[in-house]
C-alpha cells in the first residue's frame, strides 16, 4: 500500500460499464482500459475517445516508472478560475489505461502521481466502491434511502427528476471544502446561458447542524440548452454549503428547478433529506 494514502478514507468510486469514476477532495477522476498496445498506432483509439489530437502537446513524468504520456488540456475560464483537465495514457500490463483528472484548484501533480501509482498497483481499497444502484446513498457517514426514481450523474452526484439534485465531496480540511465550493459557484456563474438574479446568505440546518448557505437563483428564461430542455424549468435555485459533518469536511451543492415538486418545507424531497430551512 502507498505511503501517502490518507485520501482513501475520503475517496468514493463507482463502476459504470467499462469505466470507473472516482471523487475525492473536489477532484473527479475516471479510469478506462483499452485492449491496445502502447504504440502510436494502437493508441489512436484511446486518444480519439478523449478527443486528444496528434497536435496536442504531450509530456511525461520522470517519477512514473511505466510507459506513459500526459496530456494537459486545462483551460482558464476567468482570471480567478482555472479548470484542470489532465489525461494520463498508461501502459498497464498488456493493455492501455487512460486516467483523467478534472478539478479547479491549483494543479497537484504529487496527488496525480500518487493516484496513478495506487491505480496501477491495485491498491485502491474495495470499500471505496459503492453500488451503481440508486436506492440509497452513503452521505458523509449516514445512509440515506431513496426511491427508485433517481440516477447517478457522477460519483457523489445524485439527481432525482423533479425531486432535486445534489453533489458533494469529502475534503482533507474545511478550508479546502470552502475553496472547492467557491470554485463551483464561479464555474456556474461563468457558464454561458442564464443569469444570476439573486445571491444571498441564509441560515439553515444541514444534517441538523446550524450553518450558513449561499443561495443563488439563476434565470434561464429564453435560453435554449439541453439542461433547460430536459427540466422544462425557468429558474434554478442552488444552495452551496461547506461544513464539518460527523468528522467529515464536506462541500455540498444542492439544486432544484422551479417546476420541481416543492414540499411545504420549501424544498423538494431529495434536498429535504439533508437540508432544513430556518
Amino acid at each position: 500500500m502507498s505511503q501517502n494514502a490518507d485520501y482513501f478514507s475520503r475517496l468514493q468510486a463507482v463502476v459504470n460499464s467499462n469505466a470507473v469514476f472516482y471523487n475525492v477532495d473536489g477532484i473527479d477522476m475516471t479510469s478506462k482500459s483499452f485492449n491496445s498496445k502502447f504504440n502510436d498506432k494502437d493508441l489512436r483509439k484511446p486518444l480519439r475517445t478523449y478527443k486528444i489530437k496528434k497536435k496536442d502537446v504531450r509530456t511525461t513524468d520522470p517519477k512514473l516508472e511505466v510507459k506513459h504520456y500526459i496530456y494537459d488540456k486545462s483551460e482558464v475560464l476567468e482570471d480567478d478560475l482555472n479548470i484542470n483537465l489532465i489525461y494520463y495514457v498508461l501502459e498497464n500490463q498488456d493493455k492501455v489505461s487512460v486516467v483523467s483528472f478534472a478539478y479547479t484548484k491549483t494543479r497537484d501533480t504529487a496527488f496525480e502521481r500518487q493516484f496513478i501509482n495506487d491505480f496501477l498497483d491495485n491498491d485502491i481499497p474495495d470499500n471505496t466502491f459503492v453500488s451503481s444502484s440508486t436506492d440509497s446513498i452513503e452521505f458523509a457517514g449516514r445512509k440515506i434511502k431513496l426511491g427508485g426514481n433517481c440516477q447517478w450523474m457522477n460519483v457523489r452526484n445524485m439527481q432525482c427528476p423533479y425531486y432535486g439534485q445534489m453533489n458533494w465531496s469529502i475534503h482533507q480540511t474545511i478550508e479546502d471544502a470552502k475553496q472547492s465550493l467557491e470554485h463551483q459557484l464561479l464555474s456556474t456563474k461563468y457558464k454561458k446561458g442564464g443569469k444570476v438574479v439573486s445571491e444571498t446568505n441564509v441560515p439553515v440546518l444541514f444534517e441538523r447542524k446550524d450553518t450558513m448557505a449561499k443561495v443563488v437563483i439563476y434565470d434561464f428564461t429564453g435560453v435554449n440548452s439541453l439542461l433547460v430542455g430536459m427540466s422544462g424549468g425557468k429558474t434554478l435555485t442552488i444552495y452551496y454549503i461547506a461544513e464539518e459533518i460527523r468528522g467529515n469536511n464536506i462541500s455540498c451543492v444542492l439544486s432544484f428547478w422551479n417546476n420541481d415538486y416543492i414540499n411545504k418545507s420549501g424544498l423538494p424531497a431529495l434536498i429535504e433529506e439533508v437540508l432544513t430551512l430556518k
Side-chain angles (χ1 to χ4, degrees), residues 142-185:
R142 179 170 77 92
K143 193 168 187 176
I144 300 175
K145 290 186 177 181
L146 304 174
N149 185 33
C150 303
Q151 57 189 341
W152 289 112
M153 305 304 290
N154 205 331
V155 185
R156 290 179 172 148
N157 188 334
M158 179 63 70
Q159 181 194 55
C160 303
Y162 298 103
Y163 294 101
Q165 180 173 348
M166 64 183 194
N167 71 76
W168 66 99
S169 191
I170 307 298
H171 301 258
Q172 188 170 21
T173 66
I174 193 63
E175 289 77 20
D176 190 57
K178 291 177 179 178
Q179 182 190 61
S180 176
L181 205 68
E182 179 63 23
H183 288 168
Q184 287 197 67
L185 173 61

Side-chain angles (χ1 to χ4, degrees), residues 7-8 11 13 22 115 118-119 121-126 128-129:
Y7 73 90
F8 285 164
L11 179 69
Y22 314 80
F115 183 81
D118 291 334
F119 166 77
D121 293 341
N122 292 314
D123 274 344
I124 297 173
D126 291 342
T128 63
F129 290 83

